[in-house]
């Protein structure tokens, strides 16, 4: 349960986060030593409740923290073996790491197709390659093709999530950080989006780090998982094991021993610091 | 006397058309505001001062303020263009970038400071006396048109309107067809999302401020030739306000249409309604119009719809 994933040991991780600490506004300590690693071709889930630090972790990796006045004050992040703390968000995208932000954040006044094209901003490989990738995105998300001319502000939530993922794909990334893709979507749509994530992972060799509150779905599609609580990793392991873990079952999957449980008897998390450095 | 005016439809047309033409000149000033507001949500109060700065620089270069060499108009315009682009980008780099993520009122106050600095700086550099700017466009009625239809329109105003039209067309194409233009609209929609797809905000903002500098130059040339290059050029900003409110702060098309509306309606009101009030309503009529628009359609006639999904 405490060992790193076998895949991560076998090869150097594509992305590794080593004991980072994040402080907002110079005073608010949000992450207190988070370490994780994403192997090439992996799908890793980052689980945790509201405010556990999932989004902060992702933004620390994609270097989007500065706009929220957050700072990585300790620890290192390595992407493709290169220390990436000091790079800009645009540099990360150029190197192949894109974040799909929580709440989708499509450009509401741009059409779906224009949204997708903004994703290719950092690319210098010419119009032909970009329009080929546009067709690729439409292949995975046929619905977007139907709505290519609509303003992104007016399409449905599920379509917006597809548009946001498609936009990220247009950068030809190695890694997509997917923040809360299930937010506000019907279960059927959540299933559809996760199955596309799995296909993208297999067919396009994109690695995913997904932050999710919906642990059931996330663990079903991920191969490894980390559980965050109050800015710390409290538990990690292969997705299958995590899904069987009694604590995870009780706190995230909504299973209990059966029958009514007295509040006094509910377990509190056995907090455990985990320092990888 | 009043009845006589009413009886002459040609005169009415003349009033409205010359109003439309000067309206385009208002649009030109308002365009600089709209551009920066659209891309960064900043209301750049200093745009009027930019116009003054551009016009003063141009006229001073023509008069030989630089090493005593009198530059020809086109060369002087080119040098001024470079100066305005550099100035715009410097403002972005030195004033606005350090204030990134501050609240909008702080940015607004910064641009007010910038306004007074630019006014003072321009006059310190080039002097404060009124100067004449001759663009070589004749300021006289278009004879052919007058003979054919009896309508008197100034050649200068027609040329100015044409130049403004070309500029607007160019900007519209830039926004809708180019990668940078699309990125600019993306930034104006949601700047964090734009960063997340790898659009560097700083580059985009530098482009926007440079373009605002170019627009200021065009406005400064045309207005400077019309009114003389003087301090009051920076007050054009105040004339741009009702145009922005009526058209919508973030719409290029809106700014053009609103400029036409303001230009035509203020002239029309002055000539045909003014006499009943003892005249001089031209100066405040646009503001009344703007207030009415605010009450009915707060985002302006063409302002971006506030997209709300329920």
């Amino acid at each position: 349960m405490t060992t790193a994933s076998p895949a991560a040991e076998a090869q150097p991780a594509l992305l590794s986060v080593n004991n980072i600490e994040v402080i907002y506004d110079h005073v608010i300590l949000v992450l207190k030593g988070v370490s994780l690693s994403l192997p090439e071709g992996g799908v890793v889930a980052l689980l945790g409740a509201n405010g556990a630090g999932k989004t902060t972790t992702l933004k620390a990796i994609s270097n989007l923290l500065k706009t929220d006045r957050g700072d990585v004050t300790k620890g290192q992040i390595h992407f493709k073996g290169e220390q990436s703390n000091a790079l800009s968000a645009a540099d990360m995208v150029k190197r192949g790491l894109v974040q799909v932000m929580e709440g989708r954040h499509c450009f509401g006044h741009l059409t779906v197709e224009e949204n997708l094209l903004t994703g290719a901003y950092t690319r210098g490989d010419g119009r032909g390659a970009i329009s080929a990738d546009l067709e690729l995105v439409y292949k995975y998300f046929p619905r977007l093709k139907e709505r290519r001319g609509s303003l992104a502000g007016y399409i449905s939530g599920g379509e917006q999530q597809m548009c946001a993922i498609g936009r990220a794909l247009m950068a030809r990334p190695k890694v997509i950080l997917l923040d809360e893709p299930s937010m506000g979507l019907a279960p059927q749509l959540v299933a559809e989006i996760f199955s596309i994530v799995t296909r993208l992972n297999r067919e396009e060799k994109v690695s995913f780090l997904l932050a999710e509150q919906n642990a059931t779905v996330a663990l079903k599609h991920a191969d490894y998982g980390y559980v965050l609580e109050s800015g710390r990793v409290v538990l990690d392991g292969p997705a299958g094991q995590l899904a069987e873990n009694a604590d995870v079952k009780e706190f995230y999957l909504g299973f209990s021993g059966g029958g009514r449980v007295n509040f006094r008897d509910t377990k509190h998390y056995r907090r455990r610091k985990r320092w990888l450095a | 006397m009043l009845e006589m005016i009413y009886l002459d439809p040609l005169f009415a047309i003349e009033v409205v058309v010359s109003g439309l033409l000067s309206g385009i000149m208002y649009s030109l000033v308002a365009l600089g505001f709209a551009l920066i507001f659209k891309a960064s949500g900043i209301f750049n109060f200093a745009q009027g001062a930019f116009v003054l700065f551009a016009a003063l620089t141009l006229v001073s270069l023509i008069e030989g303020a630089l090493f005593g060499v009198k530059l020809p108009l086109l060369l002087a315009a080119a040098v001024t263009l470079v100066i305005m682009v550099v100035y715009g980008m410097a403002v972005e780099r030195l004033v606005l970038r350090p204030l990134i993520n501050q609240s909008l009122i702080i940015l607004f106050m910064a641009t007010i400071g910038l306004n007074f600095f630019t006014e003072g700086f321009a006059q310190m550099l080039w002097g404060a006396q009124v100067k004449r700017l001759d663009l070589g466009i004749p300021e006289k009625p278009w004879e052919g048109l007058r003979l054919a239809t009896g309508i008197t329109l100034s050649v200068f105003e027609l040329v100015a309107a044409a130049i403004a039209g070309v500029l607007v067309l160019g900007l519209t194409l830039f926004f809708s067809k180019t990668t940078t233009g699309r990125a600019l609209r993306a930034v104006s929609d949601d700047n964090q999302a734009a960063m997340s797809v790898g659009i560097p905000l700083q580059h985009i903002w530098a482009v926007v401020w440079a373009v605002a500098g170019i627009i200021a130059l065009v406005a400064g040339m045309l207005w400077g030739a019309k009114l003389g290059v003087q301090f009051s050029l920076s007050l054009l900003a105040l004339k741009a306000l009702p145009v922005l409110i009526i058209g919508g702060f973030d719409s290029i098309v809106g700014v053009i249409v609103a400029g036409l509306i303001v230009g035509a309606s203020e002239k029309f009101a002055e000539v045909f309604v003014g006499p009943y009030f003892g005249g001089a309503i031209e100066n405040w009529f646009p503001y009344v119009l703007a207030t009415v628009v605010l009450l009915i359609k707060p985002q302006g006639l063409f302002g971006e719809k506030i997209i709300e999904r329920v």
Side-chain angles (χ1 to χ4, degrees):
Chain A
M1 201 170 75
T2 51
T3 51
S5 104
E9 271 170 15
Q11 50 180 305
L14 183 58
L15 172 72
S16 74
V17 175
N18 210 331
N19 204 6
I20 55 165
E21 182 181 281
V22 169
I23 296 181
Y24 281 107
D25 259 335
H26 302 290
V27 284
I28 309 160
L29 179 63
V30 178
L31 295 189
K32 306 157 186 169
V34 168
S35 300
L36 56 87
S37 78
L38 172 67
E40 178 123 37
V43 178
V44 170
L46 199 55
L47 308 176
N50 262 337
K54 303 185 296 292
T55 298
T56 301
T57 308
L58 295 194
K59 284 189 172 173
I61 297 169
S62 61
N63 286 322
L64 284 172
L65 267 185
K66 297 229 166 46
T67 53
D68 296 334
R69 287 187 251 173
D71 251 320
V72 178
T73 48
K74 277 185 197 155
Q76 299 102 39
I77 298 167
H78 286 89
F79 177 56
K80 293 203 230 169
E82 176 193 18
Q83 175 147 0
S84 61
N85 298 32
L87 298 174
S88 73
D91 289 332
M92 293 307 284
V93 176
K94 266 182 219 152
R95 283 166 173 72
L97 183 142
V98 191
Q99 176 165 1
V100 176
M101 290 202 292
E102 179 178 5
R104 311 184 273 267
H105 285 271
C106 294
F107 304 118
H109 296 97
L110 272 64
T111 65
V112 168
E113 185 150 306
E114 285 175 328
N115 263 276
L116 296 176
L117 288 172
T118 57
Y121 184 84
T122 50
R123 289 172 56 172
D125 52 358
R127 240 164 234 230
I130 288 169
S131 57
D133 280 351
L134 197 59
E135 285 310 312
L136 186 79
V137 170
Y138 286 144
K139 190 189 101 193
Y140 283 99
F141 302 103
R143 269 211 252 176
L144 292 183
K145 188 163 192 171
E146 287 165 31
R147 311 225 51 184
R148 66 206 291 177
S150 318
L151 289 187
Y154 290 121
I155 61 180
S156 76
E159 287 162 346
Q160 284 185 344
Q161 186 65 61
M162 294 174 186
C163 180
I165 297 174
R167 189 175 65 186
L169 279 175
M170 290 299 292
R172 280 246 150 235
K174 297 284 289 174
V175 173
I176 293 181
L177 311 179
L178 200 49
D179 197 354
E180 215 65 62
S182 73
M183 195 176 85
L185 299 184
Q188 199 185 349
L189 268 171
V190 175
E192 186 180 340
I193 282 172
F194 271 91
S195 75
I196 293 173
V197 165
T198 306
R199 277 180 59 203
L200 288 170
N201 176 246
R202 293 207 184 116
E203 297 162 18
E204 305 300 323
K205 311 282 177 251
V206 181
S207 311
F208 283 88
L209 177 59
L210 28 108
E212 258 298 345
Q213 287 194 44
N214 186 340
T216 322
V217 184
L219 287 176
K220 206 166 97 191
H221 291 87
D223 15 82
Y224 200 82
Y226 293 84
V227 178
L228 273 179
E229 203 185 277
S230 327
R232 288 196 178 93
V233 174
V234 291
L235 197 66
D236 70 310
Q241 276 180 32
L242 277 186
E244 291 305 311
N245 182 292
D247 285 342
V248 175
K249 268 185 164 172
E250 178 162 350
F251 289 107
Y252 296 102
L253 304 183
F255 298 118
S256 61
R260 288 168 66 129
V261 182
N262 190 323
F263 180 73
R264 266 186 305 173
D265 302 334
T266 11
K267 265 192 274 179
H268 286 278
Y269 228 113
R270 286 168 293 136
R271 272 165 217 255
R272 190 168 51 77
K273 280 190 191 170
R274 182 171 178 283
W275 308 103
L276 273 187
Chain B
M1 160 87 186
L2 286 175
E3 265 123 66
M4 204 180 74
I5 290 173
Y6 273 117
L7 285 177
D8 189 355
L10 274 187
F11 180 63
I13 292 174
E14 200 175 296
V15 167
V16 170
V17 173
S18 83
L20 289 175
L21 293 177
S22 65
I24 287 195
M25 304 267 288
Y26 294 146
S27 305
L28 205 53
V29 180
L31 210 53
F33 286 93
L35 189 71
I36 292 178
F37 186 81
K38 194 172 163 62
S40 54
I42 296 170
F43 181 79
N44 176 27
F45 196 77
Q47 187 67 27
F50 277 31
V51 173
L52 172 70
F53 185 40
L56 264 180
T57 307
L58 178 70
V59 112
S60 304
L61 290 175
I62 291 172
E63 288 179 356
L66 204 64
F67 316 118
V69 187
K70 292 193 178 186
L71 300 178
L73 176 68
L74 280 180
L75 185 61
V79 174
T80 312
L81 185 82
V82 173
I83 293 175
M84 288 314 292
V85 166
V86 171
Y87 189 68
M89 288 167 87
V91 162
E92 189 276 324
R93 183 80 184 78
L94 301 174
V95 181
L96 293 152
R97 198 181 295 183
L99 291 176
I100 230 168
N101 291 330
Q102 299 290 343
S103 68
L104 284 177
I105 188 71
I106 292 176
L107 293 166
F108 178 62
M109 294 312 285
T111 67
I112 290 184
L114 182 68
N115 178 60
F116 290 109
F117 169 76
T118 308
E119 281 175 3
F121 182 61
Q123 296 184 49
M124 186 186 80
L125 222 53
W126 310 119
Q129 60 277 54
V130 182
K131 289 173 176 148
R132 217 179 130 263
L133 175 62
D134 184 10
L135 297 180
I137 309 168
E139 177 78 65
K140 60 171 197 232
W142 184 8
E143 281 305 320
L145 183 76
R146 197 175 64 82
L147 291 177
T149 61
I151 298 173
T152 320
L153 289 176
S154 140
V155 174
F156 178 83
E157 285 187 334
L158 284 168
V159 172
I163 292 175
V166 169
L167 189 71
V168 167
L169 196 68
L171 279 176
T172 310
L173 287 176
F174 170 70
F175 271 111
S176 58
K177 300 285 177 212
T178 66
T179 307
T180 310
R182 193 165 51 224
L184 224 145
R185 285 188 296 143
V187 168
S188 87
D189 243 23
D190 185 333
N191 58 42
Q192 205 178 29
M195 280 176 77
S196 82
V197 297
I199 297 171
L201 297 193
Q202 281 86 0
H203 290 199
I204 296 297
W205 284 336
V207 169
V208 169
W209 283 85
V211 175
I214 295 171
I215 294 173
L217 170 63
V218 178
M221 280 169 84
L222 296 177
W223 277 101
K226 194 178 158 117
L227 303 177
V229 177
Q230 53 181 321
F231 177 74
S232 68
L233 279 184
S234 80
L235 300 179
L236 283 171
L238 298 179
K239 211 64 188 192
L241 281 178
V243 174
L244 286 165
I245 291 170
I246 293 170
F249 275 83
D250 47 17
S251 166
I252 302 240
V253 180
V255 160
I256 304 308
V257 176
L260 295 175
I261 292 175
V262 166
S265 65
E266 73 174 16
K267 288 280 182 308
F268 197 81
E270 176 70 25
V271 174
F272 295 105
V273 187
Y276 297 109
F277 294 93
I281 68 173
E282 186 176 352
N283 287 328
W284 52 262
F285 183 78
Y287 296 93
V288 175
L289 204 61
T291 312
V292 172
V293 169
L294 270 184
L295 292 174
I296 300 167
K297 217 162 176 284
Q299 74 269 37
L301 297 179
F302 292 83
E304 270 182 356
K305 282 207 190 86
I306 301 155
I307 294 183
E308 249 177 300
R309 296 179 64 251
V310 274

